[in-house]
Each structure stands twice: as structure tokens, then as C-alpha cells.
Amino acid sequence: MPAKTLTTLQKLKDKGEKIAMLTCYDATLAHACEEAGIDVLLIGDSLGMVLQGHDSTLPVTVSDIAYHTACVKRGAPGALIVADLPFMAYATLEQTFTSAAQLMRAGAHLVKIEGAAWLAESIRQLAERGAPVCAHLGLTPQAVNVLGGYKVQGRGDEQARQLLEDCVAVAEAGAAMLVLECVPSELAARITQAVSVPVIGIGAGPDTDGQVLVIHDMLGLSLSGRTAKFVRNFMQGEGNIQAALRAYVKAVKNREFPAPEHGFSA
């Protein structure tokens, strides 16, 4: 199987074919994901909650992400790997460069940062230095204390206009791909059309270029016992994890997931 690259994703967007992405944190599941046809693996700071048992992503460090990135790289050497820059790891340009270098050396092909148009200069300078960026907009979990909780973003005309402008700004600054989290489906569709780079949704409706879920969520595993609206348990009706992963890829590629009930209205 040929290695996945940013060119692979861009070709999928240009052809109107969906992109399947999952979080992953270890070599064994990374290998299973690659075998199942997952296009992109994300080492998310969600590991702070699903692996470490914290109540938010904020305690996660760059070293945590680097360790798990190296694990995933060894398990899936042909995968396209995105690694999160965690909370306050990109507060200044110098810190951003240092953090990104650590993750790229660990095996990441892109680094993911949360924010809005204020990230434009960091994105531009990272890209110039050979570190492609995935920009994460909408609900940004690292800013949960500012947002006042895990809430849908982009509702109402003013919020929608601002989010659209922010997405265009980071794309124009050189972001290689976007992740939209918990954004009204209609707005996410508009954003996907407005930018030329691939847009991956989580709780952003069916019309983004692809989908991402936390692997533990799509396997029906949860510490809290609660399931987010945008999650589907792909273990139901499947005999093992490998079958569930293949079912996820098929559902994304065939536009069966997400269904209307997994999205949000304006």
C-alpha cells in the first residue's frame, strides 16, 4: 500500500472522495487502522482524557504527544500522521518552532494547532520551515475554559461570519488542512467550499471533505459512559476491532456517516 501524503488528501478532495481519519495513540491500533484503509492518523491531545484519565486535554505535554507519535509511526509507517501541539505549546513563535520540531522528529507529517485567524503568522512561518499545519477551528477543547464548556460554535449570523473568515484566513496563511469541530452542518459545508484545502469534520455534518472520531469513541469505549451526539459506535454488529475499523472507513467513504442525526443546526 503506497504511503499517504498531503497530495493524497488533496487529490481526494479534488475528486470529491471522502477522507477517513481517526485518532490513534499506539502501534498495534495504528497498524490495524492502516490495514483497514484509514487515510490519516491523529495523535490527539484527547489522549489526556481517554488514556490518562484527566477531565480535559490541558495537562497533556509535548513530550506526551511525541511519545505516542513515535509509537504510531512504528505501527503504521505508511500512514499520514498529524500530531497535536498541546495547550500552551505554541504561545510564542519560538515556542511553536521548538514544539513543532519535537513532534516532526517523532514522526509527524503535520502539526495541529487550535485557534483562529490569530494563528496565521505561526502557520505561515511553520509552513515556510517545512512543518505543515492542520488548523483546528470551531470548538477548540484547549480553550474550553474561555468558551464556557463544550458548546457548538458558529451559531448565529455573526459567529458564522467570523468562523468562515477565520477559516479562510488560516487557509490563505498556508494551513494544509482544517479540522472543524462542533460546527453547524450548513456552515461547515460553506467553509468546505470556501477553502481549497481538505476540511475534516467532527460534529460538523456530512459535507466536509472527511471525518474524524476518537478511536475509543467509535469502538464504544468511554470512561464517562456518555456519548457525544456526533459519535457512532462502529463495534455494534461487528465481530472485532478490525471489522469495526473497516466499517468506519466504508461508512465515511460511502457517505453513510455522519447521518443527519450526528450534526448540529445553526
Side-chain angles (χ1 to χ4, degrees):
M1 185 181 298
K4 303 289 178 68
T5 67
L6 279 171
T7 301
T8 306
L9 299 195
Q10 193 62 55
K11 286 181 178 178
L12 289 173
K13 177 182 175 93
D14 294 343
K15 292 189 294 185
E17 298 181 15
K18 295 294 185 179
I19 298 164
M21 179 175 176
L22 282 176
T23 66
C24 195
Y25 317 106
D26 68 84
T28 301
L29 282 177
H31 178 73
C33 285
E34 187 174 38
E35 289 291 301
I38 297 294
D39 297 306
V40 189
L41 295 177
L42 167 65
I43 296 83
D45 58 5
S46 51
L47 69 85
M49 302 170 81
V50 300
L51 295 189
Q52 298 174 338
H54 297 298
D55 61 2
S56 76
T57 65
L58 303 189
V60 177
T61 68
V62 176
S63 294
D64 290 335
I65 299 290
Y67 171 82
H68 288 281
T69 298
C71 292
V72 168
K73 179 67 173 180
R74 287 190 287 267
L80 182 64
I81 296 174
V82 181
D84 265 346
L85 286 177
F87 180 64
M88 295 300 286
Y90 47 100
T92 67
L93 269 177
E94 182 178 1
Q95 188 181 28
T96 302
F97 296 155
T98 300
S99 301
Q102 186 174 349
L103 298 187
M104 297 291 285
R105 291 188 185 108
H109 301 108
L110 298 88
V111 295
K112 183 165 77 65
I113 52 179
E114 298 181 9
W118 59 269
L119 288 170
E121 183 61 16
S122 295
I123 291 170
R124 183 182 68 79
Q125 295 216 29
L126 282 170
E128 287 176 350
R129 287 158 176 79
V133 175
C134 173
H136 183 151
L137 300 97
L139 171 58
T140 49
Q142 291 175 20
V144 63
N145 291 313
V146 174
L147 298 175
Y150 298 96
K151 301 177 181 178
V152 177
Q153 302 296 304
R155 280 180 163 157
D157 291 344
E158 180 57 28
Q159 272 201 22
R161 180 194 63 77
Q162 186 61 59
L163 185 54
L164 176 58
E165 289 181 0
D166 286 337
C167 289
V168 171
V170 297
E172 290 180 346
M177 61 188 293
L178 307 184
V179 165
L180 293 179
E181 181 170 355
C182 290
V183 172
S185 299
E186 186 273 337
L187 174 59
R190 287 168 54 199
I191 291 169
T192 302
Q193 292 297 316
V195 300
S196 60
V197 298
V199 178
I200 309 298
I202 177 168
D207 296 317
T208 54
D209 298 308
Q211 299 295 324
V212 62
L213 285 176
V214 172
I215 193 167
H216 293 69
D217 289 342
M218 59 81 60
L219 293 175
L221 300 172
S222 171
L223 280 173
S224 68
R226 298 188 298 271
T227 301
K229 179 181 180 181
F230 53 78
V231 170
R232 174 177 155 190
N233 180 358
F234 284 87
M235 277 296 292
Q236 292 182 341
E238 303 296 341
N240 53 49
I241 289 174
Q242 288 89 343
L245 292 171
R246 289 193 295 269
Y248 172 74
V249 172
K250 180 180 177 182
V252 171
K253 299 287 187 180
N254 291 349
R255 304 170 189 264
E256 298 165 4
F257 176 80
E261 64 265 24
H262 298 118
F264 300 97
S265 58

